[in-house]
Amino acid sequence: MRTLKTSEAAALLNVSPNTLRAWERRFGYPKPQRSAGQHRQYTHGEVAALRDALQQGLSISSAVSRAREALSTDTHTLVGALAGFELDRADGAMESALALRSVERAVEEVLLPSLDELGERFGTDSAPWAFAARWADGWLRRAQRLAPAPVRRLAILVGDATRSELDRDALAVRAFELFCGRSGARVMALPVAGVSGLSDVVASLSPNAVVIAGSHLADDDIALWAYRVRATAGPLPTALFRSSHQTAPVRTTGTRMLPHQPFAAHRQVLALIDDRQGASVREVAPLSVPEAERERREAQV
Amino acid sequence: MRRLHALRPIEVDGQDGELISFCGHCGLRPHPRAAPPASRVCDHCGLGVVLQARVDVAPRHDQPFLVVDMSLSVCAVSAAAETLFAIDETDAVNRHIGDFLVPADSNAASVENLLTLLVDVAAGSREVCTTVVRPRHEYGVRFWARIGPCGSPRAALLVLS
């Protein structure tokens, strides 16, 4: 996927960078991603679609609407391909989506909405849904294997409480794992149903956060699994993703509800870990001052 | 007679029928002697596309106006019209003009009258006309509406005064 800096995108549209930022505020389009240095990065496809739409638009709003429509054809293609059981066409639709978007946006804007539409249309107990869900699961796992190796010393343990790969939430959980992996974290997903030998796995991974994802299993099963993890790894930031068990934060363990969308959820988990690491540094810092002072006095003596 | 020397001709933008440019959002007209713009986007506000209309139809910068295509969908709403109708252009675009304006001319044959005028102008089978309209769900308020072609692409410009 080709990305453009603000100045490059503005030049392509023949407008100033300030105008481009004003469009982002007013129309929410083009929607840039942020680089590691927090600079805006526009996808070439979005900007090119807007440039073409502006040639025939009577207002910026109508051009934006037309550009969005042009981009949504990927979703229609994917839905059509999966409804027609055409694997090659489905792969092709995702390739097209990736030409215009990042992996994260292609998953959130094309793959997951397409599967939602198929679930609504056929029901999640149908053969077309099973076909589409299997394909999507395979695609997400393939993307996860192709993700760069972890670069951050972060590990996230995901307790998978979905029914199976045909569970509607399972794809969102796979997407969440993919996004965390692409952010440089090590991710391990284990079924919540299995607690035997869990302590060995947890000790080996030494996770920085635990996410319990899905709502298929009973509350007691989830509690047992979480207890085993806590007994091995100690108190860790814990969050619930796509869980129907509770809607408010738990005061005793500080368990948080993550947003419904996988991308927003993964951002929140990473922020949770960063906050905790920042807090632990802040906790250590005041203790080191008297120690340094004592050392200085001893040296003087 | 000597006083006549003090008179100056009134500056007009052009003759009837001549096309002039204006921003589809702020309504400002580029300076007539300004260099041709690099893009269709208004240099002044950056939030509108520069359109063209006949000088007798084109809005002044403070006049509320809307642009409607042949399918009667709203394509542009000026900043003044946003204030008048308390809507955002982003919410109004692609909605039917009937959601915002209805005929208020007691002599008009039917509700279709305004819509017929707009379709005819947008399609090119009628040039400039006027009618009376009022905001939908508002009573006791009426506006003269000047309707004429604009573009490109061709559409109907509805200026309220």
Side-chain angles (χ1 to χ4, degrees), chain B residues 98-158:
Chain B
D99 290 349
F100 306 103
L101 283 175
V102 291
D105 187 352
S106 54
N107 294 324
S110 70
V111 175
E112 301 300 318
N113 195 20
L114 169 69
L115 309 184
T116 309
L117 289 177
L118 288 168
V119 171
D120 287 352
V121 169
S125 55
R126 191 191 289 256
E127 282 303 307
V128 181
C129 52
T130 53
T131 187
V132 183
V133 296
R134 66 173 170 83
R136 190 178 181 84
H137 304 309
E138 278 191 41
Y139 307 93
V141 185
R142 297 196 309 171
F143 299 98
W144 277 106
R146 182 162 92 235
I147 301 172
C150 73
S152 63
R154 188 172 171 123
L157 170 66
L158 190 151

Side-chain angles (χ1 to χ4, degrees), chain A residues 283-299:
Chain A
E283 277 167 19
V284 171
L287 293 174
S288 63
V289 174
E291 282 171 8
E293 183 67 15
R294 195 173 60 239
E295 280 175 10
R296 193 176 62 80
R297 280 181 189 163
E298 283 171 4

Side-chain angles (χ1 to χ4, degrees), chain A residues 198-223:
Chain A
L198 183 62
S199 51
D200 295 340
V201 180
V202 172
S204 147
L205 181 70
S206 54
N208 301 85
V210 179
V211 176
I212 298 165
S215 58
H216 179 67
L217 292 181
D219 206 17
D220 287 345
D221 295 334
I222 292 172

Side-chain angles (χ1 to χ4, degrees), chain A residues 13-15 19 22-23 26-27 53-63 65-66 69, chain B residues 25 38-41 46-49 51 67 75-76 82 89-90 93-94 151-153 155:
Chain A
L13 291 164
N14 248 326
V15 297
T19 299
W23 288 358
R26 183 172 161 87
F27 308 111
L54 275 172
Q55 302 297 324
Q56 289 299 309
L58 286 159
S59 67
I60 311 290
S61 290
S62 61
S65 162
R66 196 178 291 205
E69 219 167 83
Chain B
H25 183 72
S39 78
R40 293 187 69 208
V41 179
L47 298 176
V49 168
L51 302 174
V67 178
C75 297
E82 282 186 322
E89 185 187 54
T90 46
V93 160
N94 294 332
S152 63

Side-chain angles (χ1 to χ4, degrees), chain B residues 43-125:
Chain B
D43 278 344
H44 181 73
C45 69
L47 298 176
V49 168
V50 175
L51 302 174
Q52 285 195 315
R54 276 171 49 162
V55 70
D56 52 339
V57 182
R60 289 197 318 265
H61 79 277
D62 56 345
Q63 282 185 317
F65 64 89
L66 297 99
V67 178
V68 180
D69 68 10
M70 219 166 62
S71 65
L72 296 171
S73 296
V74 173
C75 297
V77 180
S78 72
E82 282 186 322
T83 309
L84 182 70
F85 296 120
I87 50 161
D88 279 340
E89 185 187 54
T90 46
D91 298 328
V93 160
N94 294 332
R95 284 174 62 185
H96 195 270
I97 182 66
D99 290 349
F100 306 103
L101 283 175
V102 291
D105 187 352
S106 54
N107 294 324
S110 70
V111 175
E112 301 300 318
N113 195 20
L114 169 69
L115 309 184
T116 309
L117 289 177
L118 288 168
V119 171
D120 287 352
V121 169
S125 55

Side-chain angles (χ1 to χ4, degrees), chain B residues 1-10:
Chain B
M1 286 297 285
R2 272 180 294 164
R3 283 185 182 175
L4 285 176
H5 292 290
L7 294 177
R8 294 281 181 275
I10 299 167

